[in-house]
């Protein structure tokens, strides 16, 4: 009896839990299905995929074949144990979708054709997985729809002859363009094309403009060939002009060149395919894009067009992030270098300084310590010890590995130089491929590191000296592409350095100091750093209000698979990417639902240095688009790659208000009445961290109040009362 009762209870519990689990599984499957369709437009949006699925529904038999092909592909990938993330994102099933759509358009359903389709779908999964490994991992090239083409051409001969799956007609520019869009789903019809166009506009206005522009050019050159060649040309244009490269004039030029190449390939191959009785489909696109990408990756520098070298989003998001990164952090080298010393030093010779910084060694900086009168020494300056910088610590400007140490060259007497050992004692640190820092004229016997040692930013390398071609003690800093002593210099800039102004101090995100300029690095304050710290797994309840509505969400700090610090919104799936380093707290990006409170946090805490100076001011830049009127954003998306302003400049400061720290910001751009577009205030309190964010955007006030999420109290646990901004909290 007891056993039966227990079984009944378990069964009841299973019935209660089974429905939510089944519902969640169905939701995940539907999302994966939509993501599979979205892959056909280089998108990662389920909504875009849903529109494409709806476009295939204009031909019910094709829609059914497409959905069935995706489900079979997912089952095959799961049975083979292929990577779950590739299954969930649709990367392993979108070629199977194309196979299903193309074969169903080619021949009517029958037991035989359905059997061939099933075999073809399974084969497409195998080919896709193999090409992901060989092309993606091996060469960093996209798979595109090569698996679809390979499987389609191998299986089409086994089916009865039917209509060509991409039978396009020339019915004028607009109708031909819509048919070409529909043919992406093997549905070359105007009604399907309209839905594909809606999905494309939802995904990217930049990509839509590129596709229409290139197709119109193909139509103007040859109306008869435009329906077939234009499809390949616009796919190439979208891929090269907006997906793998940052949208802009240079990427558009590359897109045009690639489209012409695909057109030439189409003209050259179409006759041969016709003799074989095969449609050319999207062969030119699949040949052109990998060819161009492989060639462009042989470049020695990433000039225009700039490759997308970060986690990609939509073309608009890629463009905004690229401009934000460049404007906020200076030239992109993947390495941020700060001042290689402690305290305030003065640049006494800058880039192309006219003394020794000339020719291939022009990108270099010299530093000394000067007093209020501009003197580098005390007393008569006749001995090395008279110089203020002599034997002061020289520190690593960035993390790296020590590549070269010379520590035996004697210091010169004041006024004399050593031309035999021009660089004197040096420490060269490797930071990244082709990026080495060289610190020269160091004191003999002062090296604190050896070759092969790993160093962090700020670690002491040696002491400032007067060795080599140095008449008075100073520090020489340069960047170079190799570990060779005396190698040619490469452009240099320093990051997160502080300089004096008439009203206090100003933090420079990126700076090339000039002669006479005084700088210091950010001096980390432990108390302020603690205010900005988010503990791993720490959750906070966020309550948003704007005077009209109120909503709540839970924010959780964590680390993603790439090692990036993230703050996630559990209810909206928005993610804030941030960095908390020695120089302070920096928000890199926010992706996801615009309704999330994370977007307000990004504005108010875009950048907060951990320096405790009360006179410190700093500026930062935010993406401009979210602050534009809604009606203007679509037009802005189209013109933004052509040089339109990409960011909104913000000025920030921090001040104490009791025990709290108040970080205040305002935009440099104002309305006609002089009111800044954006005014922000973030309050941080000891023991609580961030407690509130106030934001005014064009007069509209928004506020987020944050409070720690207390862990569940277990029976018998002790309750502790902690002070908060508004009373007490029980944990």
């Amino acid at each position: 009896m007891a056993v039966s009762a227990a079984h009944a209870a378990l069964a009841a519990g299973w019935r209660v839990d089974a429905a939510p689990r089944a519902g969640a599984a169905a939701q995940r499957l539907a999302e994966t299905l939509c993501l599979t369709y979205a892959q056909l437009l280089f998108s990662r949006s389920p909504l875009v995929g849903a529109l494409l699925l709806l476009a295939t529904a204009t031909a019910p038999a094709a829609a059914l074949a497409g959905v069935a092909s995706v489900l079979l592909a997912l089952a095959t990938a799961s049975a083979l144990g292929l990577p779950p993330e590739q299954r969930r994102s649709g990367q392993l099933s979108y070629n199977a979708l194309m196979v299903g759509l193309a074969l169903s358009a080619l021949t009517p359903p029958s037991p035989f054709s359905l059997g061939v389709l099933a075999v073809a779908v399974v084969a497409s999964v195998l080919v896709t997985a193999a090409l992901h490994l060989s092309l993606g991992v091996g060469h960093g090239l996209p798979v595109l729809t090569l698996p679809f083409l390979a499987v389609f051409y191998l299986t089409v001969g086994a089916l009865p002859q039917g209509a060509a799956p991409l039978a396009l007609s020339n019915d004028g520019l607009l109708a031909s363009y819509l048919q070409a869009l529909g043919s992406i789903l093997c549905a070359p019809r105007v009604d399907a094309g309209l839905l594909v166009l809606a999905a494309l506009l939802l995904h990217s206005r930049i990509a839509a403009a590129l596709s229409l522009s290139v197709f119109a050019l193909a139509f103007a050159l040859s109306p008869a060939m435009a329906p077939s060649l234009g499809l390949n040309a616009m796919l190439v244009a979208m891929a090269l002009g907006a997906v793998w490269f940052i949208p802009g004039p240079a990427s558009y030029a590359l897109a045009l060149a690639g489209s012409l190449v695909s057109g030439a390939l189409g003209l050259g191959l179409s006759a041969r395919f016709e003799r074989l009785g095969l449609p050319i489909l999207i062969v030119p696109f699949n040949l052109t894009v990998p060819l161009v990408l492989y060639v462009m990756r042989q470049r020695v520098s990433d000039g225009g067009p700039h490759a997308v070298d970060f986690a990609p989003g939509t073309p608009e998001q890629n463009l905004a992030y690229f401009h934000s990164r460049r404007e906020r952090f200076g030239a992109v080298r993947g390495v941020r270098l700060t001042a290689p010393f402690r305290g305030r030093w003065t640049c006494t010779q800058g880039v192309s300084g006219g003394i020794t910084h000339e020719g291939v060694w022009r990108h270099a900086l010299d530093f000394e310590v000067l007093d209020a009168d501009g003197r580098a020494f005390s007393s008569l300056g006749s001995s090395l010890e008279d110089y203020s910088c002599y034997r002061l610590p020289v520190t690593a400007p960035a993390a790296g590995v020590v590549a070269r140490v010379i520590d035996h060259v004697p210091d010169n007497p004041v006024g004399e130089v050593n031309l035999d050992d021009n660089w004197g004692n040096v420490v060269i640190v490797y930071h990244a491929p082709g990026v080495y820092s060289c610190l020269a004229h160091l004191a003999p016997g002062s090296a604190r590191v050896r070759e092969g040692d790993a160093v962090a930013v700020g670690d002491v390398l040696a002491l400032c000296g007067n060795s080599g071609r140095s008449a008075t003690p100073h520090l020489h800093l340069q960047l170079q592409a190799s570990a060779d002593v005396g190698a040619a210099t490469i452009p240099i800039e320093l990051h997160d350095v502080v300089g004096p102004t008439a009203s206090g101090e100003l933090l420079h995100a990126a700076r090339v100091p000039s002669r006479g300029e005084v700088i210091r690095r950010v001096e980390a304050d432990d108390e302020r750093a603690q205010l900005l710290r988010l503990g791993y797994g720490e959750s906070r309840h966020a309550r948003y209000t704007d005077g009209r509505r109120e909503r709540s969400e839970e924010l959780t700090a964590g680390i993603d698979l790439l090692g990036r610090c993230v703050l996630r919104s559990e209810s909206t799936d928005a993610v804030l990417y941030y960095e908390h380093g020695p120089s302070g707290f920096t928000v890199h990006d926010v992706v996801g639902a615009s309704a999330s409170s994370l977007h307000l946090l990004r504005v108010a805490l875009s950048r907060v240095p951990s320096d405790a100076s009360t006179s410190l001011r700093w500026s930062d830049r935010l993406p401009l688009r979210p602050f534009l009127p809604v009606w203007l954003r679509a037009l802005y998306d189209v013109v933004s790659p052509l040089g339109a302003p990409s960011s909104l400049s913000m000025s920030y400061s921090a001040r104490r208000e009791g025990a709290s720290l108040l970080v205040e910001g305002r935009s440099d751009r104002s309305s006609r009445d002089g009111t800044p577009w954006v005014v922000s205030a973030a309050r941080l309190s000891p023991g609580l961290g961030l407690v509130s964010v106030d934001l005014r955007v064009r007069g509209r006030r928004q506020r987020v109040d944050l409070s720690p999420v207390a862990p569940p109290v277990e029976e018998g646990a002790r309750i502790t009362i902690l002070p908060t901004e508004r009373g007490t909290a029980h944990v």
Side-chain angles (χ1 to χ4, degrees):
M1 182 73 69
V3 173
S4 299
H7 284 172
L10 288 172
W14 181 86
R15 285 194 296 272
V16 170
D17 294 339
R21 286 200 299 267
Q27 183 178 357
R28 288 194 298 270
L29 181 60
E31 183 178 5
T32 298
L33 181 66
C34 291
L35 289 174
T36 298
Y37 277 80
Q39 291 277 348
L40 301 183
L41 288 182
F42 313 106
S43 175
R44 295 170 179 80
S45 167
L47 186 54
V48 169
L51 281 172
L52 294 180
L53 175 57
L54 185 61
T56 62
T58 56
L64 183 61
V67 172
S69 298
V70 173
L71 295 178
L72 179 57
L74 292 173
T76 303
S78 179
L80 294 173
L82 297 177
E85 62 276 7
Q86 291 185 4
R87 301 201 304 264
R88 287 193 295 267
S89 65
Q91 293 179 35
L92 294 173
S93 49
Y94 74 89
N95 276 285
L97 168 63
M98 289 295 298
V99 169
L101 294 174
L103 292 183
S104 66
L106 184 65
T107 186
S110 67
F112 178 73
S113 64
L114 292 177
V116 172
L117 174 59
V119 172
V121 166
V122 173
S124 74
V125 175
L126 300 177
V127 176
T128 301
L131 289 181
H132 265 297
L133 182 63
S134 59
L135 290 181
V137 178
H139 300 283
L141 296 174
V143 172
L144 301 179
T145 47
L146 286 170
F148 154 65
L149 292 173
V151 172
F152 176 82
Y153 287 133
L154 288 174
T155 57
V156 69
L159 295 173
Q161 289 297 317
L166 296 182
L168 298 170
S169 60
N170 181 8
D171 298 323
L173 173 60
L174 182 58
S176 296
Y177 172 65
L178 293 175
Q179 288 182 54
L181 286 177
S183 64
I184 295 175
L185 300 172
C186 301
R189 300 184 307 277
V190 171
D191 55 352
L194 282 170
L195 288 169
V196 175
L197 178 59
L200 183 57
L201 286 169
L202 177 63
H203 166 58
S204 169
R205 279 62 59 198
I206 292 175
L210 274 172
S211 69
L212 178 58
S213 300
V214 170
F215 190 88
L217 178 61
F219 191 89
L221 293 176
S222 176
M225 298 295 295
S228 57
L229 298 184
L231 168 63
N232 283 277
M234 65 185 188
L235 288 174
V236 169
M238 287 189 291
L240 298 179
V243 176
W244 275 277
F245 296 94
I246 303 299
S251 73
Y252 288 0
L254 183 66
L256 177 60
S259 299
L260 294 175
V261 170
S262 74
L265 288 173
L267 290 173
L269 294 174
S270 57
R272 290 167 173 78
F273 273 74
E274 286 178 6
R275 285 199 293 269
L276 295 173
L278 298 173
I280 194 171
L281 299 177
I282 47 179
V283 170
F285 160 68
N286 279 276
L287 294 178
T288 302
V289 171
L291 172 66
V292 174
L293 290 178
Y294 196 73
V295 170
M296 295 298 285
R297 285 172 184 169
Q298 311 306 310
R299 296 182 296 172
V300 295
S301 63
D302 185 32
H306 296 277
V308 175
D309 59 352
F310 44 81
T314 66
E316 287 79 5
Q317 290 169 343
N318 293 344
L319 178 63
Y321 183 77
F322 173 78
H323 281 307
S324 174
R325 185 176 69 175
R326 184 177 61 183
E327 292 172 353
R328 295 179 72 194
F329 307 121
V332 179
R333 288 190 179 278
V335 178
R336 294 180 57 75
L337 300 113
T338 191
F341 40 73
R342 299 168 179 168
R344 292 173 173 81
W345 291 52
T346 301
C347 178
T348 51
Q349 186 181 186
V351 173
S352 299
I355 304 174
T356 55
H357 299 176
E358 292 291 340
V360 297
W361 300 286
R362 66 185 179 278
H363 298 292
L365 302 169
D366 286 348
F367 294 98
E368 299 179 45
V369 176
L370 306 183
D371 61 18
D373 297 324
R375 287 162 48 93
F377 54 86
S378 60
S379 187
L380 299 177
S382 57
S383 68
L384 297 177
E385 288 74 13
D386 291 343
Y387 284 79
S388 302
C389 68
Y390 184 64
R391 297 193 68 82
L392 288 184
V394 173
T395 59
V401 177
V402 177
R404 187 75 186 274
V405 175
I406 297 177
D407 194 37
H408 64 274
V409 181
D411 278 332
N412 305 313
V414 174
E416 298 183 15
V417 295
N418 178 354
L419 299 181
D420 294 327
D421 300 293
N422 193 64
W423 303 92
N425 298 306
V426 301
V427 174
I428 298 176
V429 181
Y430 165 85
H431 301 291
V435 182
Y436 295 77
S437 63
C438 174
L439 301 106
H441 308 311
L442 307 174
S446 70
R448 307 288 175 85
V449 293
R450 294 181 297 179
E451 293 178 6
D453 286 352
V455 294
V457 59
D459 284 353
V460 176
L461 303 177
L463 303 179
C464 181
N466 194 42
S467 57
R469 187 174 175 177
S470 175
T472 58
H474 71 282
L475 172 64
H476 174 94
L477 170 67
Q478 67 181 47
L479 286 186
Q480 52 194 55
S482 71
D484 298 329
V485 176
T489 60
I490 58 178
I492 186 173
E493 64 182 7
L494 300 182
H495 305 91
D496 298 327
V497 293
V498 178
T501 66
S503 58
E505 291 187 299
L506 180 65
L507 174 67
H508 301 282
R511 188 74 174 175
V512 182
S514 57
R515 183 178 179 183
E517 190 170 338
V518 179
I519 63 169
R520 66 173 177 87
R521 70 186 188 196
V522 172
E523 297 173 355
D525 176 71
D526 291 341
E527 181 183 3
R528 182 169 294 191
Q530 189 62 38
L531 290 174
L532 297 163
R533 183 163 287 113
L534 294 171
Y536 178 75
E538 176 184 345
S539 294
R540 300 198 178 190
H541 180 78
R543 184 172 64 89
Y544 169 90
T545 57
D546 64 0
R548 293 177 296 176
R549 59 185 181 274
E550 180 177 320
R551 60 176 180 266
S552 298
E553 59 187 314
E554 188 171 313
L555 310 178
T556 303
I559 301 174
D560 70 2
L561 294 176
L562 298 178
R564 298 173 296 187
C565 294
V566 297
L567 188 62
R568 298 184 185 276
S569 169
E570 303 298 338
S571 55
T572 66
D573 291 331
V575 181
L576 180 147
Y577 295 90
Y578 72 94
E579 174 187 356
H580 193 185
S583 61
F585 181 90
T586 302
V587 176
H588 288 287
D589 200 10
V590 177
V591 297
S594 59
S596 173
S597 301
L598 292 175
H599 292 278
L600 276 70
L601 270 61
R602 191 256 178 88
V603 174
L605 295 176
S606 178
R607 215 158 168 237
V608 184
S610 57
D611 197 293
S613 171
T614 56
S615 64
L616 184 62
R617 304 289 184 270
W618 66 96
S619 61
D620 204 355
R621 292 180 177 270
L622 301 174
L624 177 62
R625 187 182 188 275
F627 303 103
L628 295 174
V630 175
W631 61 268
L632 188 58
R633 293 178 186 176
L635 176 61
Y636 174 80
D637 290 339
V638 176
V639 302
S640 58
L642 303 178
S646 60
S647 62
L648 180 69
S649 180
M650 295 282 295
S651 298
Y652 293 93
S653 62
R655 61 183 174 88
R656 286 288 184 182
E657 195 171 84
S660 298
L661 180 71
L662 197 63
V663 179
E664 298 172 307
R666 60 178 52 226
S667 64
D668 295 345
R669 183 172 294 191
S670 301
S671 302
R672 291 182 178 179
D673 61 359
T675 305
W677 276 17
V678 180
V679 178
S680 67
R683 184 179 297 275
L684 302 103
S685 293
L688 298 174
L690 180 64
V691 295
S692 68
V693 168
D694 264 299
L695 197 66
R696 287 185 183 272
V697 180
R698 295 177 177 271
R700 178 192 174 196
R701 184 184 179 189
Q702 304 170 73
R703 180 180 174 90
V704 178
D705 290 287
L706 299 104
S707 57
V709 175
V713 179
E714 299 180 4
E715 186 177 352
R718 183 175 61 187
I719 297 178
T720 304
I721 300 177
L722 296 177
T724 70
E725 286 287 304
R726 297 171 179 258
T728 58
H730 298 77
V731 297

